[in-house]
Amino acid sequence: FQPGELLCKQDAQGDSAYVILRGTVSVFKESQEERVFVRSLSAGRLFGEFSMLWSTPRTRSVYVDETSSATLGILSREVF
């Protein structure tokens, strides 16, 4: 995935989880007025699993870090 690429959009329905194989992603809480940085996640971390498992909207937006690309494994509900 390319630097700055959107991986998960807050409030969107989630049907997959991601494991970070290489690189870093940034997690944000978004509103109409602002985008607030929450934290960074790096290789070995899993995200998006709660939304995937429970069929709920994503609670945060996740972007590939602006400084480098990232390699992610994508786990679908069927695989998980």
Side-chain angles (χ1 to χ4, degrees):
F1 293 88
Q2 298 302 312
E5 188 172 344
L6 175 65
L7 301 169
C8 296
K9 179 71 174 159
Q10 184 176 312
D11 297 323
Q13 196 62 34
D15 60 357
S16 57
Y18 301 85
V19 61
I20 305 167
L21 302 174
R22 184 185 57 78
T24 304
V25 301
S26 298
V27 180
F28 293 90
K29 178 157 180 64
E30 297 183 316
S31 69
Q32 291 180 347
E33 298 81 35
E34 63 183 343
R35 183 169 88 168
V36 178
F37 175 77
V38 176
R39 65 179 169 170
S40 292
L41 301 173
S42 56
R45 297 296 304 265
L46 176 72
F47 66 93
E49 72 280 5
F50 187 83
S51 181
M52 179 194 68
L53 289 172
W54 302 106
S55 298
T56 58
R58 304 277 189 196
T59 59
R60 301 287 184 265
S61 291
V62 181
Y63 296 83
V64 176
D65 189 71
E66 293 284 340
T67 61
S68 64
S69 61
T71 303
L72 305 171
I74 302 173
L75 304 169
S76 67
R77 186 175 289 125
E78 295 79 28
V79 172
F80 203 74

